Amino acid sequence: MTVSRAFVSIGGVQVLIMLVALGRAKVLSVLLGPAGYGVVSTIDQTVVSLVQLGGLSLPLAAMKFMARSHSDGPEAFQHTFATFLRGITMLSVAATAVGAALFLFFPSIFGADLAAYRGYFLLALLGVPATMLNIFFIHTLAAAQQGAASAWLSMLVLLALAAGATAGVVMGGIPGLYALTVSMGVVTTVATLLHLRSRLRLRLRTASHGVRAELRKHPEIVAYSLFLYSALASYSLILLAVRYFVFDRLGADIAGMLQALIGVALTLAAVPNAVSTLYLAPLVNRRAVNDEKFAAANHFAEKILLFLTVGGVAV
């Protein structure tokens, strides 16, 4: 797949993803009002932060090493997939337990105003494992050089979650929103796993020496994950701190408006981020001559610069 085709296929799907996300935001803001949407956006950011912090960047780092192992054949790819699946599953359960413990035993740690919504937070946190695993599964397809398929999978998962959120709000307000969102997360995780088994012939388990042995064999996984973790944690914590500050000082209405503005600001970066993650990253992490990788990255940068210039003016 060329860069131009990647922009058309992956970028086109990303536009649909943005429309689904904007549609979800619009529907929820209308149904819940600014204050309710402010509460939901703060809860959502908390879940996203927990996914990023609790996952230690493994769902993202996995793609680098799976892309490399995919070059070595199906058995190596299967082994890497099963190892990361085991590690991410354990991390997702641990992150959910830690987050729930904080809200159960220290509810005011995030502010007295948000302590009143502790039940909503606890319900939303149950969706952390499904979120981590779905990110990992989407990147698994990308690592197997199926960037367009991974983009479509991401769009379908988001569409299912958005439909669940909308139906949940209509039936039961904010509690209904998270009850159905968590349920849809489980459904999409199971469906995606079955899809990977059918499309890539991947198994859940394989003969291995365990996660610790794999990390000792490939210590670069830890270093790479820590680099990613530092960047994502800084971004996530700063954004989360801003949301809590606005919620505490200016109220739920302004927190909802902040979310709307952030959504507009992030639209421009969505397409190049998706193409670089699902197309360029798997390409340059495969086993190949470095000169070919540099050439691919430089060609990609030219396309990105053109898109940002034209798209930036339009936005």
Side-chain angles (χ1 to χ4, degrees):
M1 182 188 296
T2 64
V3 178
S4 298
R5 287 185 62 187
F7 261 97
V8 172
S9 57
I10 299 176
V13 177
Q14 188 61 36
V15 171
L16 295 177
I17 290 174
M18 292 189 318
L19 291 176
V20 172
L22 289 174
R24 176 186 184 275
K26 180 64 177 178
V27 170
L28 294 185
S29 64
V30 171
L31 292 176
L32 297 172
Y37 188 56
V39 172
V40 167
S41 65
T42 305
I43 294 174
D44 287 348
Q45 183 61 45
T46 303
V47 172
V48 170
S49 298
L50 191 59
V51 167
Q52 293 175 340
L53 298 175
L56 300 178
S57 297
L58 270 189
L60 294 176
M63 183 168 58
K64 171 183 174 68
F65 300 99
M66 285 196 299
R68 187 175 63 185
S69 67
H70 188 262
S71 307
D72 298 330
E75 282 303 317
F77 188 61
Q78 165 66 61
H79 177 79
T80 306
F81 169 80
T83 301
F84 274 108
L85 176 62
R86 189 181 302 116
I88 292 170
T89 301
M90 291 189 295
L91 282 175
S92 68
V93 173
T96 303
V98 170
L102 286 175
F103 281 103
L104 279 173
F105 301 110
F106 308 99
S108 60
I109 193 173
F110 299 103
D113 291 338
L114 288 171
Y117 304 105
R118 180 175 62 175
Y120 300 162
F121 279 97
L122 292 173
L123 186 57
L125 290 178
L126 296 177
V128 167
T131 302
M132 278 195 198
L133 289 173
N134 275 322
I135 293 172
F136 171 62
F137 293 154
I138 289 166
H139 289 169
T140 298
L141 275 175
Q145 299 291 286
Q146 300 188 26
S150 65
W152 276 108
L153 177 60
S154 180
M155 197 278 291
L156 291 174
V157 169
L158 180 61
L159 183 62
L161 295 177
T166 302
V169 169
V170 172
M171 292 189 295
I174 296 179
L177 184 157
Y178 287 112
L180 274 186
T181 298
V182 170
S183 300
M184 290 303 298
V186 174
V187 170
T188 55
T189 300
V190 173
T192 301
L193 186 55
L194 293 175
H195 177 68
L196 290 179
R197 291 187 62 181
S198 173
R199 191 181 186 102
L200 301 178
R201 300 294 188 267
L202 291 173
R203 304 183 301 276
L204 287 179
R205 308 177 75 177
T206 187
S208 69
H209 302 294
V211 176
R212 289 185 179 179
E214 190 71 16
L215 292 178
R216 284 195 294 268
K217 184 179 178 181
H218 299 287
E220 67 273 18
I221 294 176
V222 177
Y224 182 72
S225 297
L226 288 177
F227 281 126
L228 276 180
Y229 186 75
S230 299
L232 290 174
S234 299
Y235 173 80
S236 183
L237 287 175
I238 289 171
L239 196 58
L240 188 61
V242 169
R243 291 182 189 276
Y244 283 143
F245 179 83
V246 170
F247 196 101
D248 181 61
R249 299 298 179 89
L250 302 177
D253 289 357
I254 302 301
M257 294 179 184
L258 172 67
Q259 172 63 23
L261 292 173
I262 289 175
V264 174
L266 292 178
T267 53
L268 179 61
V271 172
N273 281 348
V275 181
S276 64
T277 300
L278 302 180
Y279 167 76
L280 182 64
L283 181 65
V284 299
N285 283 296
R286 295 178 67 81
R287 298 192 188 278
V289 179
N290 284 339
D291 288 343
E292 295 178 0
K293 295 182 180 182
F294 287 132
N298 288 330
H299 184 54
F300 182 82
E302 294 174 359
K303 300 291 185 180
I304 285 288
L305 181 61
L306 177 62
F307 175 85
L308 291 177
T309 302
V310 176
V313 172
V315 171

